Each structure stands twice: as structure tokens, then as C-alpha cells.
Amino acid sequence: MLGTTKIYGCLADPIDHVKAPSIFTSIFKSKQLDAVMIPIHVNSDDLENVVCSLKLIKNFEGMTITIPHKTDIAKLCDNLEPDAKFTGAVNWIKFDKNRKLIGNNFDGKGFVNGFLSQNHQLSNKIIGLFGSGGAAVAIGCSLAYEGIKELKIVNRDTNKANDLKKRINSFNKQLKITVFSQYDYDINNCDLIINATSLGLKKNDQTPFDVTKTPSKCIIADIIMQPEETKLLVQAKLIGRSIHYGKNMIESQIDLVGDFLNLW
């Protein structure tokens, strides 16, 4: 690194599962950009203080944001791009020339683009979405633009799930959306089921749902990147389900992020 090196961060809690720093630092190197990305481990109580401090570091350009900070960081931004404003969640921020904080969200487009890039289809499909946090909101909203047949939202807090339903129906009134509690759900006719919760990050985590309750042609997707094969995906493979890795979501965001940060 040189004195001219631009610094980017990856903000998370926990931090050991994140792969973005190695992915983006490798991209910077391949494109001969004088930049690096570093992991930043911050808990929720210290989030505001850390962001305020980073504003003072002139060569700190921005960050990718992951669990559990995506909704809280949105409240700290000076300006939000349309996708971040609509979803109320942010997964990338940048500082402008006046050190104002600008937030954006590429999770939804990243998941959709990553899924389609694997020769899968979304049109007219019945999709189960587990979770209603920042990533789930972005993914659910993006799916609603893809001509899907039905969306089933499963979450521990059904109030949050119903909020997501209302958000989606505000721009797609025709889409059938059903909300379930994680203790009582029906996924036996889903074509695709997405784990958009944090379950799977830790070794002792339970799986978010019972894969044996899914139809044989159902695709099981996870947005967790580390471990690459979560307990959910391992169980899905064991009973012959097709699986979709979390890495596809971030890899499909690279060009979007580059444009946002004016990198290339």
C-alpha cells in the first residue's frame, strides 16, 4: 500500500464469515487500482461512533455493509439512492467529496442477477423467502419485478413479514403474497426457497426450515457466503435438491458497485 491508497471497508458483526475484503481487494489488484478493502468488526452499539469517525479519514472511500447493520446504517446516511430508500436497508455506502454519506442497496438485484446467471428462471415461479431483515426486503422487492407467481414470506416476527408484504404490494398489487410464522409454514409447492436469515453462520445454528418438506424439483438457495455450503445446503444436497450458493449474490453485484463508487 502507498500513501495514495484508497481504503474501503466491510462492516459486520460477526466478521469471520465475510469474503468481500478478499474478493474486492483481488478485483482492485486485477484492475490495477490503488485500493484495498479491510474487514471492520463493529457491534450495533458502536455503529454510529464508528461511522462518524470514518468520515474523518479522507482516504476512506466507502464500505459494504452486512449482518446486522443494513437497516441501522440507512438511518445514518445523509442521502439514500432509490433502492435503499424504498427498502429501508443499505448494503453499500460511499462518502462524497463533502464527506456526506450516500447509501445504496444491491442485494436484491445481486441475488436476482446471480440466480439468473446460473440458467435458472423466476418467471411464474412460487418462491419461499425466509427472513424479513435488510437482505430479505431487498430480495423480496426485486423478485416482485421478475414476474413470479407467488411469494411466501416466513419470519419469526410476522409483523415484519407483513410490513414487507405491504411494501411489495405498494408497487405490485397483483402479486399473491402469503405470510407465515417460522413455526407454522407451508412450502410444499415452492419452486425456489431462499434463506435470507443469518441462520447458518454459526456451526450450532439450526437450519431455517426442514428441507424434507420441499418438493423434489425445488431449488434451495442461501445468501450466506461463509461457510460456502451451509448446513441447509448440505442437507438439501443429501436429499437430491438443487442448491444455489450465496457467493453468486455478491459476485453479481461487482459491476453495480463499481459504477456506484465510480471505480471503473
Side-chain angles (χ1 to χ4, degrees):
M1 288 188 293
L2 303 172
T4 55
T5 300
K6 293 181 178 180
I7 301 173
Y8 295 88
C10 177
L11 198 68
D13 181 25
I15 197 74
D16 53 358
H17 69 285
V18 301
K19 289 187 176 181
S22 59
I23 290 173
F24 278 92
T25 298
S26 295
I27 292 169
F28 297 152
K29 184 177 180 180
S30 69
K31 292 182 178 291
Q32 298 184 319
L33 297 174
D34 186 12
V36 295
M37 178 179 282
I38 59 172
I40 302 175
H41 190 181
V42 179
N43 63 39
S44 296
D45 291 340
D46 296 325
L47 182 63
E48 185 171 2
N49 287 336
V50 168
V51 170
C52 289
S53 297
L54 291 174
K55 281 189 176 185
L56 304 177
I57 303 174
K58 302 299 184 182
N59 63 327
F60 194 93
E61 301 289 323
M63 290 186 287
T64 181
I65 313 296
T66 187
I67 294 169
H69 302 307
K70 293 184 179 185
T71 53
D72 288 337
I73 201 80
K75 302 168 187 174
L76 301 177
C77 289
D78 298 294
N79 293 292
L80 295 174
E81 297 291 335
D83 282 354
K85 184 178 291 186
F86 185 78
T87 60
V90 165
N91 83 318
W92 267 94
I93 59 172
K94 67 178 178 181
F95 294 102
D96 67 12
K97 62 182 180 180
N98 298 314
R99 305 304 289 171
K100 297 291 186 181
L101 192 60
I102 316 299
N104 211 333
N105 194 319
F106 304 109
D107 277 337
K109 291 177 181 176
F111 179 85
V112 167
N113 292 346
F115 189 75
L116 296 177
S117 74
Q118 301 301 302
N119 297 317
H120 297 310
Q121 301 296 319
L122 288 169
S123 179
N124 207 37
K125 300 298 184 182
I126 299 173
I127 300 176
L129 178 64
F130 278 73
S132 294
V137 172
I139 292 169
C141 290
S142 289
L143 289 171
Y145 285 105
E146 296 299 318
I148 65 174
K149 182 177 182 180
E150 181 180 352
L151 181 64
K152 298 184 176 187
I153 305 172
V154 185
N155 197 55
R156 176 177 53 192
D157 184 346
T158 54
N159 288 328
K160 287 184 69 176
N162 276 305
D163 286 344
L164 176 52
K165 175 182 178 178
K166 291 175 184 176
R167 195 185 299 264
I168 295 171
N169 281 151
S170 71
F171 66 87
N172 187 341
K173 294 181 174 60
Q174 287 72 41
L175 179 60
K176 180 181 179 182
I177 304 176
T178 310
V179 168
F180 295 95
S181 161
Q182 72 174 82
Y183 307 106
D184 182 22
Y185 55 85
D186 174 17
I187 53 174
N188 61 13
N189 66 340
C190 287
D191 300 295
L192 164 66
I193 302 176
I194 306 160
N195 174 35
T197 77
S198 61
L199 288 173
L201 284 176
K202 301 175 183 177
K203 288 183 178 179
N204 296 327
D205 280 348
Q206 295 181 337
T207 55
F209 57 90
D210 183 353
V211 291
T212 65
K213 293 183 178 180
T214 63
S216 59
K217 293 184 179 180
C218 181
I219 300 170
I220 309 300
D222 211 324
I223 68 167
I224 290 172
M225 292 186 59
Q226 184 64 34
E228 182 174 70
E229 286 201 355
T230 59
K231 188 184 297 185
L232 174 67
L233 296 184
V234 169
Q235 291 182 2
K237 285 177 69 175
L238 285 174
I239 62 170
R241 302 293 184 268
S242 297
I243 63 172
H244 183 75
Y245 293 107
K247 65 180 182 180
N248 295 306
M249 186 172 81
I250 189 168
E251 289 174 356
S252 295
Q253 296 183 45
I254 291 170
D255 287 340
L256 300 172
V257 171
D259 291 341
F260 174 62
L261 299 176
N262 297 315
L263 285 173
W264 48 75

